[in-house]
């Protein structure tokens, strides 16, 4: 009997050793996996998550460096929105800055934009503050005092026609202050749509609006970009965050361009567009550094007046723009307005 057991052990010894070794290796590997998982969890827990408002703050910090890094390109008549120059966008008509409205063509279908709308109740006070600070430093020929001598009036008019953007500014229409959210079709990637498809898109946006809650927002800061656009950058204190809004619109509009125009966290609106030099002395105008500091000082004054301004946004618009940059330049639009219903927690 002993001999049989010994022979059986000798015969099966290699298999038993392999099983034991495998079991030991499995246990050791399992313990190492548990240890690594625990360490990874501790590492993940130690990494601070960035809130949506912090994302916006970092984005605004980056945007705020644009003017210093690139300089005042608008003083040189450089490209602005959609690769258009200032002369492509504005003209001087009867001494007044007038937008050039370019009709979209069949080969270039209308932009279909989804924007949050800021009602005049909240937009007008901001517009008044912007005008009160910037307008004194930019000529408006249409308001030349008729008591001036003929020589002075002639000089001012000739100055505008010979140098039309030297001291000009365009103020955004306060009845169209808006926050661009998501495009069903834009100027980079156009997505043609039939009337039925447009109606379907509008209905999908309406369904999204019913889910969203009104936004209580606060003006975080005002920035001037290198292309001369005066921007209001906002934070959300209550309501549906722009990141969530854009995600809903992405799901509702599957045909929309994959690449959108704005960062998902961004919440901004345009207040004005500076088209040239301010009314500094001839000596000061020769130094771009003086011009740059002058504009920075104006922006600082505006920030002191409007930073912290609170507003409520309660409408989402689905807009067809039949002129290039129609929302920005008072062009032709077809806006479908939807109130935010807050019918679901988002």
């Amino acid at each position: 009997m002993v001999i049989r057991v010994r022979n059986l052990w000798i015969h099966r010894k290699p298999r038993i050793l392999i099983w034991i070794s495998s079991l030991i290796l499995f246990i050791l590997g399992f313990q190492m996996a548990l240890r690594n998982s625990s360490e990874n969890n501790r590492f993940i827990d130690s990494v601070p998550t960035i809130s949506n408002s912090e994302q916006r703050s970092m984005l605004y910090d980056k945007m705020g460096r644009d003017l210093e890094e690139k300089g005042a390109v608008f003083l040189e008549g450089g490209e602005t929105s959609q690769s258009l120059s200032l002369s492509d966008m504005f003209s001087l008509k009867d001494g007044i800055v007038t937008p050039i409205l370019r009709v979209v063509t069949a080969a270039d279908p209308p932009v279909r934009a989804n924007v949050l709308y800021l009602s005049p109740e909240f937009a007008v006070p901001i517009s008044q503050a912007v005008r009160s600070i910037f307008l004194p430093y930019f000529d408006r020929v249409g308001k030349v005092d008729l008591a001036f001598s003929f020589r002075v009036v002639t000089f001012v008019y000739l100055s505008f026609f010979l140098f039309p953007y030297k001291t000009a500014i365009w103020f955004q229409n306060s009845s169209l202050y808006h926050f661009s959210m998501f495009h069903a079709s834009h100027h980079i990637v156009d997505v043609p749509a039939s009337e039925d498809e447009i109606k379907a898109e509008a209905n999908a946006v309406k369904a999204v609006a019913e889910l969203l809650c009104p936004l209580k927002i606060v003006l975080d800061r005002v920035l001037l970009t290198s292309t001369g656009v005066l921007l209001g950058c906002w934070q959300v204190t209550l309501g549906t965050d722009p990141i969530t809004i854009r995600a809903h619109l992405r799901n509702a509009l599957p045909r929309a361009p994959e690449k959108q125009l704005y960062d998902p966290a961004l919440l901004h609106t345009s207040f004005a567009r500076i088209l040239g030099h301010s009314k500094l002395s001839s000596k000061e105008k020769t130094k771009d550094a003086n011009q740059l500091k002058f504009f920075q000082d104006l922006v600082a004054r505006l920030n002191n007046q409007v930073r912290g301004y609170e507003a409520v946004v309660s409408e989402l618009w689905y807009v067809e723009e039949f002129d290039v940059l129609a929302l920005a330049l008072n062009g032709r639009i077809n806006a479908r307005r939807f109130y935010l219903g807050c019918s679901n927690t988002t």
Side-chain angles (χ1 to χ4, degrees):
M1 181 68 178
V2 174
I3 295 174
R4 288 184 60 187
V5 171
R6 184 180 299 171
N7 291 337
L8 185 62
W9 164 252
I10 294 172
H11 181 69
R12 296 188 177 181
K13 181 179 179 180
R15 296 182 186 177
I16 295 173
L17 291 176
I18 291 174
W19 290 343
I20 294 174
S21 300
S22 299
L23 180 61
I24 293 173
L25 290 174
F26 174 77
I27 293 173
L28 291 175
F30 185 71
Q31 289 179 338
M32 290 179 64
L34 288 176
R35 189 179 300 112
N36 290 336
S37 176
S38 177
E39 290 177 356
N40 288 338
N41 288 336
R42 285 199 300 271
F43 175 76
I44 292 173
D45 292 339
S46 66
V47 176
T49 57
I50 300 176
S51 67
N52 294 345
S53 61
E54 289 173 327
Q55 287 186 53
R56 272 187 288 276
S57 291
M58 291 189 294
L59 181 61
Y60 298 157
D61 289 341
K62 180 180 178 181
M63 293 167 61
R65 295 190 293 270
D66 174 70
L67 183 61
E68 291 186 2
E69 293 175 354
K70 297 181 181 179
V73 178
F74 60 90
L75 296 179
E76 304 167 3
E79 289 186 354
T80 58
S81 301
Q82 299 190 16
S83 299
L84 298 174
S85 66
L86 293 176
S87 59
D88 292 328
M89 297 173 60
F90 299 96
S91 66
L92 201 69
K93 184 177 181 180
D94 298 328
I96 300 296
V97 176
T98 305
I100 299 174
L101 299 178
R102 299 176 181 275
V103 180
V104 296
T105 64
D108 184 21
V111 166
R112 302 192 301 282
N114 295 278
V115 304
L116 292 172
Y117 177 66
L118 187 65
S119 70
E121 173 188 357
F122 301 106
V124 169
I126 299 176
S127 177
Q128 291 174 341
V130 172
R131 287 173 179 270
S132 68
I133 290 176
F134 279 83
L135 189 56
Y137 301 97
F138 294 89
D139 288 322
R140 296 290 296 272
V141 176
K143 295 185 178 181
V144 172
D145 189 345
L146 295 179
F148 284 179
S149 68
F150 175 78
R151 180 179 298 176
V152 173
V153 173
T154 302
F155 171 78
V156 174
Y157 269 89
L158 285 176
S159 296
F160 262 77
F161 280 105
L162 293 176
F163 308 100
Y165 305 114
K166 291 301 182 183
T167 56
I169 187 170
W170 168 260
F171 294 104
Q172 174 71 33
N173 185 346
S174 59
S175 66
L176 286 176
Y177 274 18
H178 62 277
F179 311 85
S180 292
M181 286 286 106
F182 191 85
H183 283 77
S185 178
H186 53 56
H187 67 285
I188 299 175
V189 179
D190 57 86
V191 181
S194 64
E195 289 187 12
D196 288 340
E197 288 172 325
I198 290 174
K199 288 180 181 178
E201 286 183 350
N203 287 333
V205 173
K206 180 181 179 181
V208 169
E210 292 173 353
L211 298 175
L212 307 179
C213 294
L215 287 71
K216 289 186 177 180
I217 60 176
V218 60
L219 187 56
D220 184 84
R221 69 192 80 175
V222 178
L223 304 174
L224 180 62
T225 70
S226 61
T227 55
V229 182
L230 193 67
L231 294 177
C233 301
W234 302 75
Q235 286 286 5
V236 178
T237 59
L238 189 65
T240 308
D241 193 87
I243 292 178
T244 303
I245 294 174
R246 290 184 169 103
H248 278 299
L249 291 170
R250 164 64 69 189
N251 292 332
L253 302 170
R255 297 175 63 243
E258 182 66 27
K259 182 175 177 58
Q260 289 291 309
L261 303 180
Y262 303 107
D263 187 284
L266 185 62
L267 186 67
H268 76 298
T269 189
S270 299
F271 295 151
R273 187 182 295 272
I274 298 173
L275 309 180
H277 292 266
S278 61
K279 291 194 296 185
L280 294 178
S281 68
S282 299
K283 183 177 181 180
E284 290 173 319
K285 283 184 179 180
T286 61
K287 299 180 180 180
D288 286 342
N290 287 346
Q291 283 281 338
L292 183 58
K293 185 178 185 307
F294 177 78
F295 286 123
Q296 290 172 331
D297 290 343
L298 286 183
V299 172
R301 285 176 52 193
L302 181 59
N303 269 305
N304 289 337
Q305 186 169 336
V306 300
R307 177 179 285 165
Y309 180 80
E310 297 179 341
V312 176
V313 178
S314 57
E315 291 184 48
L316 177 65
W317 287 15
Y318 174 89
V319 182
E320 296 173 82
E321 298 184 72
F322 299 111
D323 296 311
V324 176
L325 294 173
L327 277 171
L329 303 180
N330 293 343
R332 296 173 304 135
I333 64 172
N334 179 26
R336 294 171 172 85
R337 306 172 63 163
F338 307 118
Y339 287 94
L340 307 186
C342 203
S343 62
N344 189 24
T345 303
T346 55

